[in-house]
Amino acid sequence: MTASMPRLPFFPPDLFDGERDVVLETVRRVGLADDQRFILGERTAAFEEALRVNTGAADVVACGSGTAALMLVLRAMDIGPGDEVVVPAFGCAPLAASVVNVGAVPVFVDVHPWTMVVEPYEVEAAITARTAAIMPAHMFSVMADMPTMRELARRHDVRLIEDSAVAQGGVLRGLQAGRWGEAGVFSFVQVKTFGSIGEGGAVVTDDPEIGRLARMLRNHGQDGKNRFVHHLVGYNSRFDEIMADFQLHRLPGLAARLARRAEIADYYTERFAALGDRGVQAPPPGREGRCFYVYSLLADRRDELKRHLASRGVGSHVYYPAPLPAQPAFAPYARPGQYWPHAELACARTLALPLYPHLTDAQVEHIADAVCDFPGGP
Ligand SMILES: *Cc1c(COP(=O)(O)O)cnc(C)c1O
């Protein structure tokens, strides 16, 4: 590789370079404030209100992480031992871990081979008398089929939790991601579409009871009025004032950053339309029900493509190398004789390309060129 070769890492090291001064100012403002309040203060309340207005939800509860948000929702719904929760077999650990950590059992179902989101008919087939909730997740750039999930939840009288951790800002049939379930969640970890400089998450809900309970559970079961009265066994999942202040500053720019992600994704998809004969498939085109967190190709010779891109200075990433029920931690919950062939296939074929808003047009073109130069098969 020559020295002039561009280096385009998958995880950009300069995500917040443009906002360095804002970060320092935020730390100074919160750090030197008279009230010396570093968690769950007025900035957190203002951030929750801003997200509430932004999403149109009745309530938003900021908490420690997206994973914690899932657990707060599960607990607020009183889901625990003896209950089953239907989750995707393909996805990240929090989907299964949140369920196990509240004492319930995750039931894994297969995904669509192209969009990689859970298949409604698989979800329906997994519902039993013990099912307390279904928990579809949006994946990479595609929202799960939430209208059908709502219909399934109603018909089978189970709760609907929407893992919208990767889809903040996505819109399906005029309704934002996070608004389709009885509760949805957001994650503010660095790489997410509204990622930030540390950990954070939120519960989004129209159900006042879920909001009330999540708010208590995030701070050891206290009600916010009577200190040291613990109504519930909760968690420490409080929200940081520095994070709240910084995210308040960044929220107005979110729409523009999402639009830039969508624009890059559109360009990639157009360029990759002809790569089918080389075993490379782009995600579905379009903007409806989409949110461009990660741009994931499916490639028959995935590892070769990854090496090819690396030789051109283009970083890529495999989300996820193994289905959840194949993980040592979750294998005990996999039902004997059950298989997830599409999840297995996705794990073998998926490859994500750089997709961050500050990529220049020239960089985007270079990445697309590198993919299009991938040689044909043997
Ligand atoms: C990132 C993510 C989470 C968890 O968010 P954290 O803030 O990292 O805890 C949950 N579900 C999905 C699908 C995610 O991608």
Side-chain angles (χ1 to χ4, degrees):
M1 180 151 55
T2 67
S4 63
M5 210 55 108
R7 300 293 315 161
L8 290 165
F10 182 79
F11 295 107
D14 56 352
L15 254 185
F16 303 106
D17 268 11
E19 286 158 313
R20 224 169 251 200
D21 293 344
V22 178
V23 175
L24 293 176
E25 181 47 39
T26 299
V27 171
R28 189 182 303 275
R29 193 166 45 240
V30 177
L32 297 178
D34 286 340
D35 61 2
Q36 289 293 287
R37 181 132 198 200
F38 300 117
I39 47 139
L40 298 184
E42 61 185 34
R43 292 169 179 86
T44 298
F47 177 54
E48 291 175 331
E49 176 60 16
L51 279 183
R52 201 186 63 70
V53 170
N54 176 275
T55 55
D59 201 2
V60 171
V61 181
C63 62
S65 67
T67 305
L70 289 175
M71 288 176 65
L72 295 178
V73 170
L74 287 160
R75 283 285 311 280
M77 291 179 172
D78 199 24
I79 292 170
D83 294 326
E84 292 177 354
V85 179
V86 179
V87 302
F90 181 69
C92 63
L95 280 164
S98 60
V99 173
V100 173
N101 279 329
V102 301
V105 171
V107 175
F108 300 102
V109 300
D110 209 1
V111 296
H112 187 277
W114 185 20
T115 63
M116 294 178 267
V117 294
V118 269
E119 291 271 36
Y121 73 88
E122 298 271 5
V123 170
E124 182 160 33
I127 294 174
T128 71
R130 288 178 302 280
T131 305
I134 58 178
M135 195 157 95
H138 310 313
M139 269 298 133
F140 309 135
S141 70
V142 182
M143 284 175 67
D145 180 355
M146 295 311 292
T148 306
M149 296 299 166
R150 266 191 180 177
E151 165 65 24
L152 285 179
R154 187 168 47 236
R155 187 142 39 88
H156 295 276
D157 194 23
V158 296
R159 313 293 304 254
L160 176 59
I161 303 169
E162 178 185 359
D163 186 340
S164 41
V166 303
Q168 186 168 359
V171 179
L172 176 65
R173 294 193 192 171
L175 195 59
Q176 276 200 40
R179 298 290 311 286
W180 280 94
E182 290 172 68
V185 304
F186 293 148
S187 163
F188 310 127
V189 77
Q190 195 165 347
V191 293
K192 301 286 160 84
T193 53
F194 192 37
S196 192
I197 49 173
E199 295 277 14
V203 173
V204 180
T205 185
D206 286 341
D207 181 333
E209 191 59 5
I210 292 177
R212 187 181 73 86
L213 290 168
R215 205 164 248 112
M216 283 209 282
L217 288 163
R218 77 173 163 181
N219 194 10
H220 291 299
Q222 298 169 101
D223 58 20
K225 294 178 210 72
N226 307 298
R227 191 116 193 261
F228 298 128
V229 179
H230 304 278
H231 304 279
L232 299 164
V233 179
Y235 307 92
N236 173 1
S237 182
R238 301 178 292 228
F239 201 74
D240 189 305
E241 288 283 283
I242 289 175
M243 185 73 76
D245 210 49
F246 186 56
Q247 289 299 76
L248 269 171
H249 165 81
R250 298 178 73 245
L251 187 57
L254 176 61
R257 292 193 298 275
L258 289 172
R260 175 63 180 159
R261 284 173 182 268
E263 185 179 65
I264 296 170
D266 282 352
Y267 175 79
Y268 283 159
T269 299
E270 210 180 294
R271 292 283 313 271
F272 304 156
L275 296 184
D277 59 347
R278 271 172 274 171
V280 176
Q281 189 176 24
R287 299 273 179 98
E288 167 68 7
R290 307 292 302 279
C291 185
F292 300 92
Y293 158 58
V294 158
Y295 187 92
S296 284
L297 293 171
L298 291 170
D300 294 343
R301 294 176 290 132
R302 189 262 313 278
D303 295 344
E304 261 179 75
L305 177 59
K306 188 168 178 34
R307 280 194 295 275
H308 166 81
L309 293 176
S311 78
R312 302 298 184 91
V314 174
S316 59
H317 194 68
V318 175
Y319 293 99
Y320 296 92
L324 288 171
Q327 293 288 348
F330 308 123
Y333 301 96
R335 287 190 176 145
Q338 259 208 320
Y339 300 94
W340 304 270
H342 294 157
E344 296 276 2
L345 205 59
C347 292
R349 297 179 72 218
T350 188
L351 188 67
L353 302 180
L355 179 73
Y356 30 93
H358 62 287
L359 281 172
T360 65
D361 287 351
Q363 289 172 327
V364 172
E365 205 179 306
H366 174 80
I367 293 165
D369 288 346
V371 174
C372 291
D373 288 349
F374 183 49

